[in-house]
Amino acid sequence: SSSSSSKSSRSGASAGSSSKRGMAGTMRAARARAFGRPKEVLQVEDGVAAPAAPAKGELLVRVEACSVTPGDWRMLSGDTRLMKKPKAFPYIPGGDVSGRVEAVGEGVTRFKVGDEVIGTWSVFGIGGFADLTLVHESLAVPKPAALSHIEASALANSAPYALLAVQDTAKVKRGDRVLILGGSGGIGTSLLQLVKHAGIGTS
């Protein structure tokens, strides 16, 4: 799969950032009101209800960037044969985010308010096209300082899958030669970089 990232809501509808919340408990978000082409069904709105306080094990994240994945695109278009449909309309798409921790829920030990994090989803990725979203601590990692928020959000889901393929599935080791079919998109480009970094020959 591949992913692309969008800048803050001041530049487009696919990410929340430093735009001010209109009133207590509300935020700016891009919501889909029906299936269709994104430019036809996505609408950036102020005054959308912000997430509740983070539950046990959750982080409340102020989104700086949210990537747009093939799964997001298929869900928006209504091609949901291989994935879950949104529970109801309108809904906020997007699940792979990069941002800063605004609040932490009970039991969170790995992060504190102000930390920069990358977050992803487990079963159903929604809520990322907004100023604020909730991410479970187990699905978040610290954002490397060398990466911009845009770059980090594009790696949130595809890079871990590439790492699993190299380390756990194929068990690639130094000296192996690897053929990568379709070395493009999010997973393919991550695979190429991982095997090159490990000193493994590629085709």
Side-chain angles (χ1 to χ4, degrees), residues 3-8 15 64-67 96-99 143 147-156:
S3 60
S4 60
S5 296
S6 297
K7 293 184 179 180
S8 71
E64 294 290 342
C66 180
S67 65
D96 296 342
V97 301
S98 181
K143 184 188 80 67
L147 295 180
S148 70
H149 285 289
I150 293 174
E151 293 166 334
S153 68
L155 293 174

Side-chain angles (χ1 to χ4, degrees), residues 1-8 14-17 61-70 72 93-100 116-121 128-130 133 135 139-161 185-187 189-190:
S1 73
S2 61
S3 60
S4 60
S5 296
S6 297
K7 293 184 179 180
S8 71
S14 298
S17 182
V61 176
R62 180 163 293 278
V63 179
E64 294 290 342
C66 180
S67 65
V68 183
T69 69
D72 297 325
D96 296 342
V97 301
S98 181
R100 292 180 177 83
E116 293 190 328
V117 297
I118 306 171
T120 188
W121 49 277
F129 291 9
T133 193
V135 177
L139 298 173
V141 296
K143 184 188 80 67
L147 295 180
S148 70
H149 285 289
I150 293 174
E151 293 166 334
S153 68
L155 293 174
N157 192 266
S158 56
Y161 277 113
I187 294 178
T189 53
S190 294

Side-chain angles (χ1 to χ4, degrees), residues 6-199:
S6 297
K7 293 184 179 180
S8 71
S9 54
R10 291 173 295 182
S11 302
S14 298
S17 182
S18 56
S19 61
K20 294 181 179 179
R21 296 164 69 180
M23 62 186 72
T26 66
M27 63 180 181
R28 174 176 290 185
R31 299 200 295 180
R33 296 189 170 276
F35 291 130
R37 295 172 61 85
K39 66 179 181 180
E40 297 169 352
V41 301
L42 270 181
Q43 183 175 352
V44 178
E45 304 172 5
D46 289 308
V48 177
K56 184 176 181 179
E58 287 185 333
L59 311 172
L60 179 64
V61 176
R62 180 163 293 278
V63 179
E64 294 290 342
C66 180
S67 65
V68 183
T69 69
D72 297 325
W73 188 271
R74 285 193 293 270
M75 190 182 300
L76 281 166
S77 70
D79 182 9
T80 58
R81 292 168 293 174
L82 301 178
M83 59 193 307
K84 288 189 174 183
K85 297 180 181 180
K87 294 180 179 179
F89 289 103
Y91 79 99
I92 303 173
D96 296 342
V97 301
S98 181
R100 292 180 177 83
V101 177
E102 288 270 308
V104 299
E106 179 187 350
V108 171
T109 59
R110 294 170 48 230
F111 301 101
K112 64 183 185 302
V113 173
D115 285 350
E116 293 190 328
V117 297
I118 306 171
T120 188
W121 49 277
S122 57
V123 178
F124 192 57
I126 59 171
F129 291 9
D131 284 341
L132 296 163
T133 193
L134 293 169
V135 177
H136 198 276
E137 180 185 27
S138 64
L139 298 173
V141 296
K143 184 188 80 67
L147 295 180
S148 70
H149 285 289
I150 293 174
E151 293 166 334
S153 68
L155 293 174
N157 192 266
S158 56
Y161 277 113
L163 188 61
L164 285 172
V166 170
Q167 291 185 341
D168 296 354
T169 304
K171 301 186 186 302
V172 177
K173 60 185 182 301
R174 186 176 295 275
D176 289 345
R177 290 193 61 82
V178 178
L179 172 65
I180 297 176
L181 301 175
S184 60
I187 294 178
T189 53
S190 294
L191 281 171
L192 287 169
Q193 294 175 74
L194 285 170
V195 296
K196 182 178 181 180
H197 178 72

